[in-house]
Amino acid sequence: MASLTLRAITKKFGRIPALAGVDLHVADGEFCVLLGPSGCGKSTLLNIVAGLIPQDHGTVMLDGESVDQLPPRSRDVAMVFQSYALYPHMTVAQNLGFGLRMRRTPRQTIQKQVLEAASLLGIEGLLDRKPRELSGGQRQRVAMGRALVRRPRIFLLDEPLSNLDARLRASVRLELKELHRQIGSTIIFVTHDQVEAMTLGDSVVVMREGTIHQNGPPEKIYSHPADTFVATFIGSPEMNLYQGRLVQKAGNSHFEGSGFSLPLTGLKSGLPTGEADLGVRPEDIGINGSDTTGLEGCVEMISDVGSEKYIHARMGQERITVRVPKDFVCRVGDVVPLVIDPHRVHLFRKGLSLDVY
Ligand code: ATP
């Protein structure tokens, strides 16, 4: 196991900048998830750590020592890809032991490590099968096992669950979390799926266009997004976000949006007035009769997802999405009171979070 430190990593492919100065520290034993939209540079970063692609500038360090001069083999990292490419003519046991055989590991050690990995992953009963005789989830486990038997310093997992159907994905995700608890290895896991990131990561690194926007525990990323990109990228349905102005009225801050005004009573005094964005998550909006803010929404659409409902309404000139319990009754055209607790809102200026509390 090892810690990973990246210092000012940059990479261009021709004129396309893939990474623009990435700094990152992943502690020994940490499960770190790189999350971001397609093309933001996640896989490139993983490949640079593995030594499969050279960076243009910057340093990759394992346990504080640069590995920039080391070829992939000597870095002792194991990578698992989205397409797990098992050798079709080999049995599961042979697939698991392949990397060790290549390293001329003694036969008995291979056997022991293969059995250990298989038992950790619950695939002891599959060792004599060929990959075509396995389900998608089982193949994925073999691919993980192939990395596990090598006992690398770091696991690099590039969207390893994305070939699985939604149900299987959810169960393999739980297994992976449990596996990490047992082996305590350092894992860097790439995904563009926010649910995967939030459920798996000790830390989530949100990336966009080759830069890191925020790095922190999932709950912090969700409750204190550093900027409007993170605020709207994390959370489903996404955070409601409005352009407007912060003004002072009778000693209190107010947010003036398009056709609505929200008193921000109780927030720290002296909020800087002027242009701002206000964000509020769908679950942080009350929709009952005890409204004190005078906001109203005219219901335009209702999405019922079974466990809860989402009401899409018009508030002033803006649209707003509100999460309500599954048994909440309303109809399109109804006008409902909206209660927004000032302590639940997020304020941004020039895209960056204002420290409001
Ligand atoms: P995805 O989630 O779709 O896999 P990603 O976040 O992993 O995306 P990368 O694959 O790292 O993104 O790509 C980052 C940028 O670099 C993209 O603009 C991509 O088109 C570009 N890129 C990646 N590899 C190459 C390459 N070999 N040649 C040219 N451009 C590349």
Side-chain angles (χ1 to χ4, degrees):
M1 287 191 289
S3 68
L4 169 73
T5 307
L6 304 178
R7 291 243 173 93
I9 300 286
T10 61
K11 179 72 189 174
K12 276 187 182 173
F13 292 103
R15 292 169 65 189
I16 302 170
L19 295 170
V22 170
D23 293 301
L24 179 65
H25 179 75
V26 182
D28 193 349
E30 187 176 331
F31 197 132
C32 167
V33 180
L34 303 183
L35 172 70
S38 188
C40 72
K42 309 178 293 290
S43 300
T44 304
L45 198 58
L46 220 56
N47 281 302
I48 287 174
V49 173
L52 300 172
I53 296 178
Q55 67 269 35
D56 297 339
H57 300 285
T59 304
V60 178
M61 289 185 277
L62 293 181
D63 278 337
E65 288 189 13
S66 165
V67 293
D68 294 333
Q69 304 308 321
L70 297 181
R73 275 180 75 93
S74 316
R75 293 192 184 194
D76 198 14
V77 301
M79 196 144 168
V80 179
F81 297 95
Q82 174 180 352
S83 51
Y84 12 82
L86 302 177
Y87 298 108
H89 57 286
M90 291 185 195
T91 63
V92 167
Q94 287 164 339
N95 264 289
L96 289 175
F98 183 76
L100 295 177
R101 282 202 299 284
M102 289 293 101
R103 287 179 162 70
R104 304 194 186 287
T105 309
R107 216 185 145 98
Q108 276 185 333
T109 314
I110 299 181
Q111 227 170 16
K112 183 167 164 281
Q113 289 184 209
V114 164
L115 278 175
E116 272 177 23
S119 121
L120 256 177
L121 293 161
I123 51 172
E124 308 99 306
L126 308 176
L127 287 172
D128 295 327
R129 293 207 201 163
K130 297 270 175 64
R132 66 170 180 277
E133 298 163 327
L134 303 175
S135 71
Q138 291 166 336
R139 273 184 224 152
Q140 196 280 340
R141 260 171 271 175
V142 177
M144 274 298 297
R146 220 164 38 170
L148 261 183
V149 290
R150 286 184 36 208
R151 302 180 180 172
R153 298 174 81 188
I154 292 199
F155 288 94
L156 306 175
L157 311 182
D158 195 352
E159 308 227 18
L161 310 185
S162 55
N163 281 350
L164 309 180
D165 68 46
R167 240 176 106 186
L168 194 53
R169 208 172 158 143
S171 71
V172 177
R173 198 188 290 148
L174 292 179
E175 287 171 15
L176 190 57
K177 199 163 168 89
E178 172 59 19
L179 183 66
H180 177 250
R181 204 185 56 77
Q182 289 180 36
I183 60 175
S185 299
T186 314
I187 297 181
I188 321 283
F189 183 103
V190 160
T191 183
H192 57 258
D193 180 332
Q194 53 160 303
V195 175
E196 208 153 276
M198 302 295 276
T199 48
L200 280 174
D202 297 322
S203 62
V204 175
V205 176
V206 185
M207 294 182 64
R208 182 198 195 192
E209 293 178 357
T211 61
I212 292 178
H213 275 235
Q214 191 169 2
N215 176 7
E219 54 283 2
K220 172 118 195 262
I221 302 256
Y222 191 81
S223 56
H224 292 99
D227 57 32
T228 48
F229 171 70
V230 177
T232 49
F233 190 71
I234 308 272
S236 177
E238 74 179 48
M239 183 188 282
N240 299 287
L241 190 67
Y242 306 109
Q243 289 181 343
R245 295 184 65 75
L246 280 173
V247 297
Q248 288 287 326
K249 283 187 202 166
N252 263 327
S253 295
H254 284 244
F255 179 82
E256 303 283 355
S258 297
F260 72 95
S261 173
L262 178 69
L264 299 174
T265 319
L267 297 196
K268 90 177 174 198
S269 57
L271 278 177
T273 55
E275 279 185 16
D277 294 328
L278 177 130
V280 57
R281 294 205 182 275
E283 70 269 27
D284 289 334
I285 303 165
I287 194 155
N288 55 42
S290 61
D291 181 25
T292 53
T293 55
L295 293 178
E296 285 180 342
C298 179
V299 178
E300 293 187 330
M301 201 169 80
I302 301 159
S303 326
D304 188 342
V305 294
S307 56
E308 58 206 16
K309 285 180 190 167
Y310 303 116
I311 292 180
H312 308 280
R314 185 158 292 273
M315 175 179 71
Q317 274 106 60
E318 301 281 11
R319 288 222 157 87
I320 188 163
T321 301
V322 184
R323 190 178 83 183
V324 295
K326 61 182 174 187
D327 50 6
F328 185 86
V329 181
C330 73
R331 284 180 305 194
V332 170
D334 286 355
V335 174
V336 291
L338 301 173
V339 186
I340 298 181
D341 178 351
H343 292 97
R344 294 280 182 172
V345 303
H346 306 261
L347 289 169
F348 305 92
R349 173 154 295 155
K350 296 198 168 122
L352 299 178
S353 171
L354 281 177
D355 180 23
V356 288
Y357 309 120

